[in-house]
Amino acid sequence: MEGFLVMVLTALAIGGGVYALVHAARQRPDAYTATDKLTKPTWLAILGVSVLVIFVFSAYSLLGLIGVIAIGVYLADVRPKVDGIQGGPRW
């Protein structure tokens, strides 16, 4: 049962990470600097490495938890501000 729970949590973390990565890739580069956040290439690198680490080590490892936190920071802090600068979500 514990293995199944870890697998489900890892799949959710990878899904959230891929969503954040796609969202970051679709945004204008100047929107990041306008909100005083890290640059677009930096966020793409952070999110890409986070997804890779979670895929390799699972979300339950120490490195995986760091990746989940990085993805959470993007989704909770950066994404709303970037969307707000551009006049709403671009989906």
Side-chain angles (χ1 to χ4, degrees):
M1 184 66 180
E2 182 181 336
F4 177 73
L5 182 61
V6 169
M7 186 175 64
V8 168
L9 291 175
T10 299
L12 288 173
I14 290 172
V18 169
Y19 170 77
L21 189 60
V22 169
H23 181 273
R26 293 178 47 93
Q27 306 310 308
R28 295 189 336 242
D30 61 329
Y32 292 91
T33 54
T35 58
D36 293 327
K37 299 297 176 190
L38 297 174
T39 63
K40 179 178 180 173
T42 304
W43 274 112
L44 289 174
I46 290 170
L47 295 171
V49 169
S50 295
V51 170
L52 182 65
V53 164
I54 292 168
F55 182 76
V56 171
F57 295 106
S58 91
Y60 198 64
S61 67
L62 179 61
L63 290 175
L65 288 175
I66 293 170
V68 168
I69 290 169
I71 292 166
V73 166
Y74 180 83
L75 291 175
D77 183 41
V78 178
R79 185 183 64 92
K81 291 181 181 174
V82 169
D83 284 345
I85 284 288
Q86 299 181 117
R90 295 181 54 199
W91 298 94

